[in-house]
Amino acid sequence: MRLNIRYRLFFALLAASALVALGMLLIVQWSLDRGFLQYVNTLDTERLERLAVELEERYDESGDWAFLREDPGNFHRLVLLTGPERAYSPEQLERLERRLQRHRDRPQGGGEGRRLDAQRFDQRLVLLDGQKRLLHGPEKFPGGLTFRELYHRRQIVGYLGLVPRKDLADANQLRFVREQQWAMLLIAALAVVVSALLAFPLARRLARPIHTLATATRRLAAGDFTVRTPAERGDELGQLARDFNSLALALEKNEEARRRWVADISHELRTPLAVLRGEIEALQDGIRQAGPETFASLHGEVLRLGRLVEDLYQLALSDVGALSYRKNSESLVELLEQTLATARSEFARKGIALRFEAHPADVTLFADGARLGQLFVNLLDNSRNYTDAGGELVVRLEREAGWAVIHFQDSAPGVPEDELERLFERLYRVESSRNRNSGGAGLGLSICRNIVEAHGGTISAQASPLGGVWITVRLPLEEVAQ
């Protein structure tokens, strides 16, 4: 069965919590076993110190160890008095005395009865006299045992040692450790249960925006570019939602541009085709007679249709990067002068003054001269077509920090401020009522932008101080372009 991301997150969080709880349980159990054993040995060490003080006092009273050799029970009494039993009542001490007496009356032969309990405090004690002869304890005790020296009048009279515990064997101690282990196990199980209760809503909360994004992505793939996702979160999922919304918005704009592009192309093609159809039908019906004027009209419409198709073809090649560029060192001043010289007659025919300024007089670019010529022709045609008669166009060349800057400033009419940025959109014309006689199809400036960007430059439009449009082209100089 395939699990969705909600349950995968749930099991991942639950597994992580269970592993943490299990690790904490093992570490705490190890620490408890080791720490509790150290604690018990520490208590035994403190008890050993109290016993050493009692032995030193008894030795001071008797002057030797005869009180232990004559009656070994005295040693057991001192052990009882210095241990936890020292708070016993006289009646309890009397019962303990009887138990010691029964212990002394047992047979001293071998066998199980002679085996010592390695966990009992008194049977882990080793007492030696000043000559390190055994007074109490097993005849064989572990090597490396640490002894506490016993003093009488600043002289060593004995040694008292204790074999440390290796593990716990006391019933009360073991019961305490087991109770703690069960408590820790219960706490770990409770932690896992609480983690499960918290992991499920957390996993659902984390999976909700992912599910929302997945649903929105399916709608986007189906062509619904208006879909948006909530982006209130401040984490990576919120950023992903914002990126998705940006993508949907870009696709929506591209779809709108595509539809507008198809509609505009259809409109641009329909106009010359309609004129051609009307002219031909008029000839067929005998309304017009074939003659030079008729053929000139037909030829003009065919030329307009050819220019439109050629513009569309050039723009399509430019969009896909298929326009060929043969770059060489080119003199920008010479290119501009040649292009302006060709266009002066047409500007003069319309009554528009054309002026050129170059500062400095020589600027070299690493560029395709033919494409730059196409760029300048399109810009000049745009100014000539949309500048009123009696106006002027000023072309100025400057050099700025590794860039060649060409300014095209024409006179009225101008373009509204909010429409300046759209001048370089394909098939865009400021006045939709303009026909092909007064302007173009709106593709020239789009081709200009692609040519400039192919040379690593920029092109922009703003209001001209002469009352028209100010187009600025920035191209990298030869040393920068290479």
Side-chain angles (χ1 to χ4, degrees), residues 3-246:
L3 297 177
N4 58 33
I5 192 170
R6 178 188 304 176
Y7 292 104
R8 291 185 182 183
L9 286 173
F10 168 71
F11 287 119
L13 293 173
L14 182 61
S17 301
L19 289 176
V20 171
L22 178 61
M24 291 181 61
L25 176 64
L26 295 177
I27 293 174
V28 172
Q29 181 176 350
W30 172 81
S31 178
L32 177 63
D33 293 340
R34 184 171 177 270
F36 192 73
L37 181 61
Q38 291 178 348
Y39 171 72
V40 172
N41 284 328
T42 300
L43 293 180
D44 288 346
T45 302
E46 294 176 354
R47 185 177 178 184
L48 179 71
E49 184 62 28
R50 293 195 298 269
L51 178 60
V53 173
E54 289 291 335
L55 288 172
E56 288 175 341
E57 291 180 355
R58 294 299 177 91
Y59 190 93
D60 289 340
E61 294 175 359
S62 60
D64 55 19
W65 296 111
F67 71 99
L68 293 181
R69 292 191 177 96
E70 295 173 356
D71 186 4
N74 287 329
F75 184 80
H76 293 285
R77 294 187 189 92
L78 291 176
V79 172
L80 293 175
L81 290 174
T82 57
E85 299 87 349
R86 63 186 185 277
Y88 285 177
S89 63
E91 293 78 7
Q92 293 173 321
L93 290 176
E94 184 178 352
R95 287 197 299 271
L96 291 172
E97 179 65 27
R98 288 197 295 269
R99 288 170 58 189
L100 288 173
Q101 184 61 39
R102 288 196 301 270
H103 176 72
R104 289 193 297 270
D105 294 341
R106 289 177 182 175
Q108 299 300 315
E112 296 297 328
R114 191 72 177 88
R115 183 179 300 171
L116 299 180
D117 187 357
Q119 299 298 328
R120 287 181 51 181
F121 179 78
D122 58 335
Q123 297 205 16
R124 290 185 292 114
L125 289 170
V126 178
L127 179 61
L128 307 177
D129 61 9
Q131 287 73 37
K132 295 189 176 181
R133 292 174 296 188
L134 183 65
L135 296 175
H136 174 81
E139 295 181 357
K140 294 182 180 181
F141 50 85
L145 188 64
T146 302
F147 286 92
R148 198 278 198 191
E149 298 172 344
L150 304 177
Y151 290 91
H152 174 65
R153 295 179 182 178
R154 297 185 179 179
Q155 292 184 354
I156 298 176
V157 296
Y159 301 90
L160 180 63
L162 177 66
V163 179
R165 298 174 186 264
K166 300 298 182 182
D167 52 18
L168 299 176
D170 184 78
N172 293 328
Q173 296 173 355
L174 291 175
R175 183 170 60 253
F176 171 78
V177 172
R178 282 196 299 269
E179 290 175 353
Q180 298 303 313
Q181 290 174 346
W182 278 108
M184 288 185 293
L185 183 61
L186 180 62
I187 293 173
L190 183 61
V192 173
V193 172
V194 172
S195 298
L197 295 177
L198 295 177
F200 189 78
L202 181 59
R204 184 172 58 183
R205 176 178 174 82
L206 290 175
R208 185 183 298 116
I210 299 177
H211 177 73
T212 303
L213 279 172
T215 304
T217 303
R218 287 192 293 269
R219 291 177 56 187
L220 188 65
D224 183 7
F225 301 118
T226 62
V227 62
R228 299 292 185 271
T229 59
E232 296 86 3
R233 300 169 65 101
D235 54 7
E236 288 81 358
L237 290 176
Q239 183 61 43
L240 180 60
R242 288 187 287 272
D243 292 340
F244 175 86
N245 292 337
S246 300

Side-chain angles (χ1 to χ4, degrees), residues 5 54 64 81 93 198 252 309 350 387 423 428 432 465:
I5 192 170
E54 289 291 335
D64 55 19
L81 290 174
L93 290 176
L198 295 177
E252 183 180 12
V309 173
K350 192 175 179 181
T387 301
L423 287 179
Y428 177 77
S432 60

Side-chain angles (χ1 to χ4, degrees), residues 357-431:
E357 302 174 359
H359 308 284
D362 186 21
V363 176
T364 302
L365 298 180
F366 184 72
D368 187 329
R371 293 300 177 187
L372 288 185
Q374 182 182 2
L375 165 68
F376 299 145
V377 167
N378 287 345
L379 292 176
L380 291 173
D381 288 345
N382 182 76
S383 294
R384 186 185 69 251
N385 292 332
Y386 294 107
T387 301
D388 293 339
E392 66 174 323
L393 170 64
V394 178
V395 180
R396 186 172 67 256
L397 172 62
E398 298 177 349
R399 181 170 180 167
E400 296 179 0
W403 293 86
V405 185
I406 309 103
H407 302 278
F408 291 80
Q409 298 178 353
D410 57 28
S411 56
V415 175
E417 190 73 25
D418 56 346
E419 297 190 34
L420 284 171
E421 295 182 358
R422 300 189 59 189
L423 287 179
F424 301 98
E425 294 181 9
R426 59 193 63 177
L427 296 174
Y428 177 77
R429 288 180 294 188
V430 177
E431 296 182 16

Side-chain angles (χ1 to χ4, degrees), residues 292-365:
E293 294 182 0
T294 303
F295 289 124
S297 176
L298 293 174
H299 184 258
E301 294 301 326
V302 171
L303 290 178
R304 293 188 185 99
L305 185 60
R307 285 196 299 269
L308 175 59
V309 173
E310 180 62 23
D311 286 347
L312 289 173
Y313 177 69
Q314 292 291 331
L315 183 60
L317 290 179
S318 179
D319 285 342
V320 299
L323 278 180
S324 60
Y325 289 89
R326 299 179 180 179
K327 296 182 178 181
N328 297 292
S329 295
E330 299 285 349
S331 173
L332 187 56
V333 176
E334 292 182 2
L335 285 174
L336 284 170
E337 288 178 345
Q338 293 174 3
T339 307
L340 293 173
T342 304
R344 286 187 186 278
S345 59
E346 296 184 7
F347 274 82
R349 188 178 304 115
K350 192 175 179 181
I352 301 175
L354 181 57
R355 184 156 46 96
F356 176 56
E357 302 174 359
H359 308 284
D362 186 21
V363 176
T364 302
L365 298 180

